[in-house]
Amino acid sequence: MRSRAFVWCMMWWGILWSAQVFALDPLATTDSAQPAQSTANLKVANRTVITFRASLLGETPTLRARRANVVIGEALDSNDELSVSIDPIQDSYMVLLGGRRAFIVTPGDVDPLEYSSVMQAAQGAADKLRQVVAETQEARSLHLILVDVLACAVATALYLALLWGLGYLRRKLLGWLPAMMKRHAQALKVGETPLVEAHFLYPLISRALRVLSWVLVALFSYQWLSFVLSRFPYTRPWGESLNSYLLDVAAYLFHSIVGAIPGLGIALAIFFIARGAVAFSRRLLKRLAAPGTVSWLNHETLQPTTRLTSIAIWLFALAMAYPYLPGAGTDAFKGLSVLLGLMISLGASSVVGQAAAGLILTYTHTLRPGEFVRIGEHEGTVTELGTFTTRIRTGLGEMLTIPNSMITGAVTKNYSRTVKGPGYVVDTTVTIGYDTPWRQIEAMLLEAALRTPGVLADPAPQVFQIALSDFYPEYRLVAQAIPSQPRPRAELLTMLHANIQDVFNEYGVQIMSPHYAFDPRQAKLVPKEEWFSEPAKKHDNT
């Protein structure tokens, strides 16, 4: 009682002395009005008791922490039984250690994130100070230190045993894995074809086991270190921080997973609805593609229309489910969205143009697979009409891949669209001088066409005079042929040109292609007896 009365007297004396000083100094202000310039942690025996955030009676937080540390150290150096208590002082609380003032907790020292009142902050600081007193007494006990050392030795032995057992289990699993994988791989077959190749799967599983073993080693090491540090008074705060950090991470992951379940449920419901809508639209479009239902929807446009409808439904579902996905509101998710949008805007302009050109070709029916076309300087049979490119096969065996944007920007000649029945249109052009009767030229061209195998007599070939140039008229022979593949067409066109040369040689008419410059002294003709000069050989079909 005498010590407590002495403390109260000293406290009131300090308050009166401070009041006189502040009354004499007109520039002095109250501590409550003085803003805290810094913070200082009161750390005793490696444990933080309280963080001072405000000045008190002219003392900065650093000076307060230093004075409190000296008082607590002197009290701990004594062998007396120390008790910790708190006494209220107006709106503050004084923490006593063995009857001596250790420090004062003011309203400015309260951390609003940790405590809600000054009393709670003082009580928390007192509890930590009691723990410091108990740990100091524990550190001075040889018996307790030996018990802690024995516990650490047992924990270390258990830790090493777990590491050895983990390595032993991993080696055993790697030894059993080939035979087990081979047995199960033989069982998983479709007919005679195995679904899983064991020699490809073994490296993947072995790496997965290695990663899992290292994760377990790290977890065991973390737990061993936290246990060893928690056994000794000085390092106990470090061990407690390790344990609390691991528990905080586990709690954060657990709460994040639990909190994400409702959003995932809504997202899954949206995706299931989108899946049903895709199936419904597929069946509906298939019915609308029946003849006589919708003019623009047929068997050619059904597949791209179904694909576009499915893509639109899934994109709409993704936009609806995006806010409910875990992490959708985080800065990382937003940054990833911005990055993807930037990549698409910079690199997908040509892709979008090609896709739009492919849709134009599909819905305008410009090309169909199997048709013989000429696109710019390229001629061949359409083998595939894709979203971004179109493939044609030429008569020389070449496979050309042409971008769809190039097709929409060029003149396309379709030799298979206007024919009568199967086949395609074949044509060629010759130029003959004005001194040759045009009726004779037309008759010779028709005769050459009828001599060519594959050229149809019905519809009959036709000859058109397409130009009257300065030195010669131009004649175009147009006929319909049966073969629709590129190679037979090239062979047919070769035979047609050969027959035209033979017929014109038989009737003594000189071909002026490619250009007429002047009349030669002698006509450029090949006598029939020289048609098969060496090394040429006469064929049965000529």
Side-chain angles (χ1 to χ4, degrees):
M1 295 297 294
R2 292 181 179 178
S3 61
R4 181 168 294 186
F6 176 75
V7 171
W8 276 100
C9 291
M10 293 296 296
M11 182 189 67
W12 284 112
W13 179 84
I15 293 174
L16 292 175
W17 179 80
S18 301
Q20 292 177 0
V21 172
F22 276 75
L24 294 175
D25 189 2
L27 298 178
T29 57
T30 61
D31 291 335
S32 60
Q34 183 179 358
Q37 298 178 354
S38 61
T39 61
N41 293 328
L42 175 58
K43 184 174 290 187
V44 182
N46 201 30
R47 183 177 293 279
T48 300
V49 178
I50 190 174
T51 300
F52 294 119
R53 304 176 183 275
S55 299
L56 177 65
L57 299 178
E59 293 183 353
T60 62
T62 303
L63 184 58
R64 291 175 61 194
R66 190 180 304 165
R67 289 183 180 274
N69 204 342
V70 172
V71 173
I72 295 173
E74 292 177 354
L76 294 176
D77 289 338
S78 65
N79 295 325
D80 301 335
E81 293 290 336
L82 300 177
S83 62
V84 180
S85 61
I86 60 173
D87 283 340
I89 304 176
Q90 294 183 353
D91 58 348
S92 303
Y93 286 86
M94 182 170 56
V95 179
L96 303 174
L97 177 61
R100 299 178 59 182
R101 185 194 72 175
F103 52 86
I104 298 176
V105 181
T106 65
D109 297 328
V110 179
D111 185 4
L113 299 178
E114 188 174 1
Y115 302 105
S116 59
S117 63
V118 184
M119 181 178 179
Q120 291 181 356
Q123 189 64 46
D127 294 339
K128 294 179 180 179
L129 186 57
R130 293 189 187 97
Q131 189 173 2
V132 169
V133 173
E135 290 175 350
T136 302
Q137 295 175 355
E138 180 183 351
R140 294 172 181 175
S141 174
L142 180 60
H143 174 72
L144 296 178
I145 294 296
L146 292 177
V147 171
D148 293 336
V149 171
L150 181 60
C152 291
V154 173
T156 303
L158 180 61
Y159 166 70
L160 295 176
L162 287 175
L163 293 183
W164 181 85
L166 184 61
Y168 177 79
L169 181 61
R170 178 173 173 269
R171 289 191 298 270
K172 284 294 184 182
L173 287 177
L174 291 177
W176 295 337
L177 191 60
M180 183 173 57
M181 291 177 56
K182 185 177 181 180
R183 184 170 62 253
H184 289 285
Q186 293 296 331
L188 296 176
K189 286 185 177 181
V190 177
E192 295 297 330
T193 303
L195 294 178
V196 179
E197 294 290 344
H199 60 281
F200 289 140
L201 192 59
Y202 178 78
L204 179 63
I205 297 181
S206 62
R207 291 191 182 96
L209 287 176
R210 179 179 301 176
V211 171
L212 180 60
S213 63
W214 279 110
V215 170
L216 293 177
V217 167
L219 184 60
F220 292 158
S221 302
Y222 190 93
Q223 289 296 325
W224 172 81
L225 181 62
S226 62
F227 177 80
V228 171
L229 293 177
S230 300
R231 295 304 302 178
F232 300 97
Y234 188 81
T235 59
R236 189 168 296 163
W238 298 340
E240 292 174 354
S241 62
L242 290 178
N243 288 328
S244 62
Y245 176 76
L246 187 61
L247 292 176
D248 291 342
V249 171
Y252 173 77
L253 293 177
F254 177 76
H255 291 302
S256 299
I257 293 173
V258 173
I261 289 177
L264 284 176
I266 296 175
L268 288 176
I270 292 174
F271 285 128
F272 278 119
I273 294 173
R275 183 179 178 183
V278 168
F280 174 76
S281 65
R282 186 182 294 112
R283 290 192 295 268
L284 179 62
L285 291 174
K286 188 175 181 180
R287 293 180 180 179
L288 293 177
T293 304
V294 180
S295 59
W296 58 270
L297 190 61
N298 49 33
H299 69 280
E300 296 178 359
T301 58
L302 176 61
Q303 183 178 359
T305 304
T306 303
R307 189 179 304 169
L308 290 174
T309 305
S310 301
I311 292 175
I313 293 174
W314 282 114
L315 288 177
F316 181 76
L318 181 60
M320 293 294 295
Y322 175 82
Y324 302 101
L325 295 177
T330 60
D331 293 337
F333 216 106
K334 294 177 182 178
L336 181 61
S337 302
V338 172
L339 178 62
L340 290 177
L342 183 63
M343 292 172 61
I344 292 175
S345 62
L346 292 179
S349 57
S350 61
V351 176
V352 174
Q354 299 291 350
L359 294 177
I360 293 173
L361 294 178
T362 300
Y363 286 99
T364 56
H365 306 288
T366 304
L367 305 174
R368 291 190 182 99
E371 293 181 340
F372 196 90
V373 297
R374 182 178 181 84
I375 303 172
E377 300 178 355
H378 309 291
E379 185 177 273
T381 301
V382 179
T383 59
E384 181 182 352
L385 181 60
T387 305
F388 303 103
T389 58
T390 297
R391 290 184 173 88
I392 64 174
R393 188 169 64 249
T394 66
L396 302 178
E398 303 169 333
M399 180 65 72
L400 304 180
T401 301
I402 304 176
N404 288 333
S405 59
M406 178 180 174
I407 299 176
T408 55
V411 177
T412 301
K413 295 181 180 181
N414 196 321
Y415 294 97
S416 303
R417 187 62 60 84
T418 59
V419 297
K420 180 180 179 182
Y424 59 92
V425 174
V426 61
D427 65 334
T428 186
T429 303
V430 296
T431 56
I432 310 298
Y434 284 104
D435 55 345
T436 305
W438 62 267
R439 295 177 180 84
Q440 181 185 12
I441 297 174
E442 289 186 2
M444 288 189 295
L445 290 174
L446 294 176
E447 182 177 350
L450 294 178
R451 286 186 184 181
T452 304
V455 175
L456 299 177
D458 184 21
Q462 292 180 300
V463 178
F464 299 92
Q465 297 187 39
I466 59 176
L468 297 176
S469 301
D470 293 338
F471 304 102
Y472 50 80
E474 299 182 19
Y475 300 89
R476 173 171 291 178
L477 172 63
V478 181
Q480 182 174 336
I482 293 178
S484 59
Q485 297 300 319
R487 184 66 180 179
R489 186 184 188 279
E491 295 174 353
L492 184 142
L493 195 60
T494 299
M495 290 187 292
L496 178 61
H497 289 160
N499 290 329
I500 289 175
Q501 296 178 63
D502 290 344
V503 171
F504 274 63
N505 281 322
E506 289 178 2
Y507 291 98
V509 177
Q510 180 179 353
I511 299 177
M512 308 303 296
S513 297
H515 296 290
Y516 182 95
F518 57 89
D519 290 327
R521 295 181 179 180
Q522 296 180 354
K524 301 297 182 180
L525 300 175
V526 180
K528 189 173 183 178
E529 58 272 11
E530 297 180 5
W531 285 2
F532 303 101
S533 301
E534 293 296 335
K537 296 182 179 179
K538 186 175 182 181
H539 298 278
D540 296 335
N541 57 353
T542 58

